[in-house]
Amino acid sequence: MTGCNWDQERAMELYRRLVRAYSPSAEEFVAWKLRLEQSSPFEILVGIVLSQNTSDKNAFAAMERLRKLLGDVTPEAILRVGTSALEEAVRPAGMHRQRARTLVALAKFVYQHRGWLEELRSIDVEEARRYLMRIPGIGPKTADVFLLMYLGKATFPVDTHIARISARLGIVRKGARYEEIRSRYLELLPRDPELLARLHVLLITHGRRVCRARNPRCNECPLRDLCCSPA
Ligand code: SF4
């Protein structure tokens, strides 16, 4: 395939290529889903907050310290321990003051809105995003990860890997912002939460292994003939 015009057929080809190239990450995806099913929704949101803009290893270390501090990761436990202990616990994830503030805001919100999860389930995806983003510190990416991965609502979270790959592939223009990239994927792909969740994970794997920020490995890339800017 040549040219930079993306349509639904080309987007599905991208998905199929990534599935073929990174089958282990499909297993990781299943393992991740299982872990999700074994955690409480609040704990999952906390995990997503800890994993933003940091490595999995650092997010995991912060979560372990938080569990040690709190016992069960609940809104009540977070509100009981206070901000400075929280800051110390989440330090491995970086931006510890900001993260601790977000966790307190999240805990207050969930504590005061006991029916939050049922409410989120019952409303459409755009309304659900707005609902979650009312919480200070919860941005579109955190909201989209939770809504897609936990509640199975059709949205598409965009991280730095996905933004970079999408511009290189020509799916969006260089410098496109979060909402533009998210909407483009939703236009190009079926509104199938399972497919969107898999594609999200596969693109991140592709960004870590092949389409790296520096020195992308274009010669080994399974998307080379779909790409607008192979090196
Ligand atoms: S060909 Fe290069 S720039 Fe294009 S997607 Fe592959 S690794 Fe990225």
Side-chain angles (χ1 to χ4, degrees):
M1 292 191 191
T2 54
C4 285
N5 295 326
W6 281 84
D7 57 17
Q8 292 173 350
E9 193 189 328
R10 189 172 181 149
M12 280 307 292
E13 179 61 20
L14 164 82
Y15 173 70
R16 285 190 289 269
R17 299 259 188 112
L18 290 173
V19 168
R20 275 202 299 274
Y22 304 116
S23 49
S25 78
E27 285 159 24
E28 280 160 26
F29 174 75
V30 171
W32 201 66
K33 288 275 282 182
L34 275 177
R35 276 205 301 282
L36 276 187
E37 280 157 18
Q38 286 159 4
S39 308
S40 76
F42 179 73
E43 197 172 349
I44 289 161
L45 262 178
V46 168
I48 298 169
V49 168
L50 294 181
S51 65
Q52 301 296 297
N53 305 312
T54 192
S55 67
D56 291 350
K57 189 170 156 247
N58 293 344
F60 187 71
M63 193 60 162
E64 283 305 293
R65 283 163 65 114
L66 201 57
R67 285 205 181 101
K68 219 174 244 176
L69 173 73
L70 303 176
D72 289 335
V73 180
T74 62
E76 292 81 357
I78 285 184
L79 295 174
R80 202 167 43 233
V81 293
T83 312
S84 55
L86 278 179
E87 284 177 3
E88 209 35 53
V90 304
R91 195 179 273 275
M95 298 186 295
H96 59 291
R97 291 206 175 91
Q98 192 187 320
R99 275 187 222 274
R101 270 201 306 275
T102 302
L103 293 184
V104 170
L106 187 60
K108 276 188 188 154
F109 184 87
V110 168
Y111 188 75
Q112 288 162 2
H113 298 78
R114 289 289 162 176
W116 69 285
L117 194 62
E118 289 66 39
E119 202 164 339
L120 275 180
R121 280 192 213 279
S122 69
I123 54 186
D124 79 25
V125 64
E126 297 305 322
E127 213 182 322
R129 297 179 85 227
R130 286 194 291 275
Y131 183 97
L132 277 177
M133 288 194 285
R134 275 164 37 202
I135 307 169
I138 301 295
K141 188 164 55 159
T142 304
D144 285 330
V145 172
F146 184 74
L147 294 173
L148 177 65
M149 298 297 197
Y150 186 74
L151 288 183
K153 290 195 184 267
T155 183
F156 194 74
V158 176
D159 78 336
T160 50
H161 293 295
I162 296 177
R164 178 179 70 251
I165 298 166
S166 307
R168 285 177 177 168
L169 286 169
I171 292 175
V172 293
R173 65 188 171 83
K174 206 172 163 218
R177 314 277 302 227
Y178 187 97
E179 286 302 332
E180 190 177 335
I181 304 171
R182 171 183 170 266
S183 315
R184 190 73 183 117
Y185 278 94
L186 293 177
E187 256 169 43
L188 287 171
L189 289 152
R191 301 277 171 122
D192 170 355
E194 184 81 16
L195 183 148
L196 294 168
R198 280 180 188 276
L199 181 63
H200 170 80
V201 174
L202 289 164
L203 281 169
I204 292 173
T205 305
H206 184 60
R208 286 179 176 159
R209 296 190 193 170
V210 177
C211 193
R212 303 177 300 201
R214 278 192 230 153
N215 304 321
R217 297 159 65 186
C218 298
N219 287 336
E220 303 164 29
C221 179
L223 311 176
R224 192 178 164 87
D225 62 313
L226 297 176
C227 185
C228 288
S229 42

Coordinates of all heavy atoms in Angstrom, one line a residue, residues 94-126:
G94 N 7.3 9.0 40.2 CA 7.6 10.4 39.8 C 6.4 11.3 40.0 O 5.3 10.9 40.3
M95 N 6.7 12.6 39.9 CA 5.6 13.7 40.1 C 4.8 13.3 41.3 O 3.5 13.3 41.3 CB 4.7 13.8 38.8 CG 5.5 14.2 37.6 SD 4.5 14.5 36.2 CE 3.8 12.9 35.9
H96 N 5.5 13.0 42.4 CA 4.8 12.4 43.6 C 3.7 13.3 44.2 O 2.7 12.9 44.7 CB 5.8 11.8 44.6 CG 6.7 12.9 45.1 ND1 7.7 13.5 44.4 CD2 6.8 13.4 46.4 CE1 8.3 14.3 45.1 NE2 7.8 14.3 46.3
R97 N 4.0 14.7 44.2 CA 3.1 15.6 44.9 C 1.8 15.6 44.1 O 0.7 15.5 44.6 CB 3.7 17.0 45.0 CG 4.8 17.0 45.9 CD 5.0 18.4 46.5 NE 6.1 18.3 47.5 CZ 7.4 18.5 47.3 NH1 7.8 18.8 46.1 NH2 8.2 18.3 48.3
Q98 N 2.0 15.8 42.8 CA 0.8 15.9 41.9 C 0.0 14.6 42.0 O -1.3 14.6 42.0 CB 1.3 16.1 40.5 CG 0.2 16.5 39.5 CD 0.7 16.6 38.1 OE1 1.8 17.1 37.9 NE2 -0.1 16.1 37.2
R99 N 0.7 13.4 41.9 CA -0.1 12.1 42.0 C -0.8 12.0 43.3 O -1.9 11.5 43.3 CB 0.9 11.0 41.8 CG 1.2 10.7 40.3 CD 2.0 9.4 40.2 NE 3.1 9.6 39.2 CZ 2.9 9.4 37.9 NH1 1.7 9.0 37.4 NH2 3.9 9.6 37.1
A100 N -0.1 12.4 44.4 CA -0.8 12.2 45.7 C -2.1 13.1 45.7 O -3.1 12.7 46.2 CB 0.2 12.6 46.8
R101 N -2.0 14.3 45.2 CA -3.1 15.2 45.2 C -4.3 14.6 44.3 O -5.4 14.6 44.7 CB -2.7 16.6 44.5 CG -2.3 17.6 45.5 CD -2.4 19.0 44.9 NE -1.8 19.2 43.6 CZ -0.5 19.5 43.4 NH1 0.3 19.6 44.5 NH2 0.0 19.6 42.2
T102 N -3.9 14.0 43.2 CA -4.9 13.4 42.4 C -5.6 12.2 43.1 O -6.8 12.0 43.1 CB -4.3 12.9 41.0 OG1 -3.7 14.0 40.4 CG2 -5.3 12.2 40.2
L103 N -4.8 11.4 43.8 CA -5.3 10.3 44.6 C -6.3 10.7 45.7 O -7.3 10.1 45.9 CB -4.2 9.4 45.2 CG -3.3 8.7 44.2 CD1 -2.3 7.8 44.9 CD2 -4.1 7.9 43.2
V104 N -6.0 11.8 46.3 CA -6.8 12.4 47.4 C -8.2 12.8 46.7 O -9.3 12.6 47.2 CB -6.2 13.5 48.2 CG1 -7.2 14.2 49.1 CG2 -5.0 12.9 49.0
A105 N -8.0 13.6 45.6 CA -9.2 14.1 44.9 C -10.1 12.9 44.5 O -11.3 12.9 44.6 CB -8.8 14.9 43.7
L106 N -9.5 11.9 44.0 CA -10.2 10.7 43.5 C -10.9 10.0 44.7 O -12.1 9.6 44.6 CB -9.1 9.7 42.9 CG -9.6 8.5 42.2 CD1 -10.5 8.9 41.0 CD2 -8.4 7.7 41.6
A107 N -10.2 9.8 45.8 CA -10.7 9.2 46.9 C -11.9 10.0 47.4 O -13.0 9.4 47.8 CB -9.7 9.1 48.0
K108 N -11.8 11.3 47.5 CA -12.9 12.2 48.0 C -14.2 12.0 47.0 O -15.3 11.8 47.5 CB -12.5 13.6 48.0 CG -11.8 14.1 49.2 CD -11.6 15.6 49.2 CE -10.7 15.9 50.4 NZ -10.0 17.2 50.1
F109 N -13.9 12.0 45.7 CA -15.0 11.9 44.8 C -15.7 10.6 44.9 O -16.9 10.5 45.0 CB -14.4 12.0 43.3 CG -15.4 12.0 42.3 CD1 -16.1 13.2 41.9 CD2 -15.8 10.8 41.7 CE1 -17.1 13.2 40.9 CE2 -16.8 10.8 40.7 CZ -17.4 12.0 40.3
V110 N -14.9 9.5 45.0 CA -15.6 8.2 45.1 C -16.3 8.0 46.4 O -17.4 7.4 46.5 CB -14.5 7.0 44.8 CG1 -15.0 5.7 45.2 CG2 -14.1 7.1 43.4
Y111 N -15.7 8.6 47.5 CA -16.3 8.5 48.8 C -17.7 9.2 48.8 O -18.6 8.8 49.4 CB -15.4 9.1 49.8 CG -15.8 8.9 51.2 CD1 -15.7 7.7 51.9 CD2 -16.4 10.0 51.9 CE1 -16.1 7.5 53.2 CE2 -16.8 9.8 53.2 CZ -16.7 8.6 53.9 OH -17.1 8.4 55.1
Q112 N -17.7 10.4 48.1 CA -18.9 11.2 48.1 C -19.9 10.8 47.1 O -21.1 11.2 47.1 CB -18.6 12.7 47.9 CG -17.9 13.3 49.0 CD -17.1 14.6 48.7 OE1 -17.2 15.0 47.5 NE2 -16.5 15.2 49.6
H113 N -19.5 10.0 46.1 CA -20.4 9.5 45.0 C -20.5 8.0 45.0 O -19.9 7.4 44.2 CB -20.0 10.0 43.6 CG -19.9 11.5 43.5 ND1 -18.9 12.3 44.0 CD2 -20.8 12.4 42.9 CE1 -19.1 13.6 43.8 NE2 -20.3 13.7 43.1
R114 N -21.2 7.5 46.0 CA -21.2 6.0 46.2 C -21.7 5.3 44.9 O -21.3 4.1 44.7 CB -22.0 5.7 47.4 CG -21.4 6.1 48.7 CD -20.2 5.2 48.9 NE -19.2 5.8 49.9 CZ -18.1 5.1 50.3 NH1 -17.8 3.9 49.9 NH2 -17.3 5.7 51.2
G115 N -22.5 5.9 44.1 CA -23.1 5.1 43.0 C -22.3 5.4 41.7 O -22.8 5.2 40.6
W116 N -21.0 5.9 41.8 CA -20.3 6.4 40.7 C -20.1 5.3 39.6 O -20.3 5.6 38.4 CB -18.9 6.9 41.1 CG -17.9 5.8 41.6 CD1 -18.0 5.2 42.8 CD2 -16.8 5.3 40.8 NE1 -17.0 4.3 42.8 CE2 -16.2 4.3 41.7 CE3 -16.3 5.5 39.6 CZ2 -15.1 3.6 41.3 CZ3 -15.2 4.8 39.2 CH2 -14.6 3.8 40.0
L117 N -19.9 4.1 40.0 CA -19.6 3.1 39.0 C -20.9 2.7 38.2 O -20.8 2.6 36.9 CB -19.0 1.8 39.6 CG -18.4 0.8 38.7 CD1 -17.2 1.4 37.9 CD2 -17.9 -0.4 39.4
E118 N -22.0 2.6 38.9 CA -23.2 2.3 38.2 C -23.6 3.4 37.3 O -24.1 3.2 36.2 CB -24.4 2.1 39.3 CG -24.3 0.8 40.1 CD -23.1 0.8 41.0 OE1 -22.8 1.8 41.6 OE2 -22.4 -0.3 41.1
E119 N -23.4 4.6 37.8 CA -23.7 5.8 37.0 C -22.9 5.8 35.7 O -23.4 6.0 34.6 CB -23.4 7.1 37.8 CG -24.2 8.2 37.2 CD -24.3 9.4 38.1 OE1 -24.1 9.2 39.4 OE2 -24.5 10.5 37.6
L120 N -21.6 5.5 35.8 CA -20.7 5.4 34.7 C -21.1 4.4 33.7 O -21.1 4.6 32.5 CB -19.3 5.1 35.1 CG -18.4 6.3 35.5 CD1 -17.0 5.8 35.9 CD2 -18.3 7.3 34.4
R121 N -21.5 3.2 34.2 CA -22.0 2.1 33.3 C -23.2 2.5 32.5 O -23.4 2.1 31.4 CB -22.4 0.9 34.2 CG -21.2 0.1 34.6 CD -21.8 -1.3 35.2 NE -21.0 -1.8 36.3 CZ -19.8 -2.5 36.1 NH1 -19.4 -2.7 34.9 NH2 -19.2 -2.9 37.2
S122 N -24.1 3.4 33.2 CA -25.4 3.6 32.6 C -25.4 4.8 31.5 O -26.4 4.9 30.8 CB -26.4 3.9 33.7 OG -26.1 5.2 34.2
I123 N -24.3 5.5 31.4 CA -24.3 6.7 30.5 C -23.4 6.4 29.3 O -22.6 5.5 29.4 CB -23.9 8.0 31.2 CG1 -22.5 7.8 31.9 CG2 -24.9 8.4 32.2 CD1 -22.1 9.0 32.8
D124 N -23.6 7.2 28.3 CA -22.8 6.9 27.1 C -21.3 7.3 27.3 O -21.0 8.0 28.2 CB -23.4 7.5 25.8 CG -23.2 9.0 25.6 OD1 -22.2 9.5 26.2 OD2 -24.0 9.6 25.0
V125 N -20.5 6.9 26.4 CA -19.0 7.1 26.6 C -18.6 8.5 26.7 O -17.8 8.9 27.5 CB -18.2 6.3 25.5 CG1 -18.5 6.8 24.1 CG2 -16.8 6.3 25.8
E126 N -19.2 9.4 25.9 CA -18.8 10.8 26.0 C -19.2 11.5 27.3 O -18.4 12.2 27.9 CB -19.4 11.6 24.8 CG -18.9 11.2 23.4 CD -17.4 11.2 23.3 OE1 -16.7 12.1 23.8 OE2 -16.8 10.2 22.6

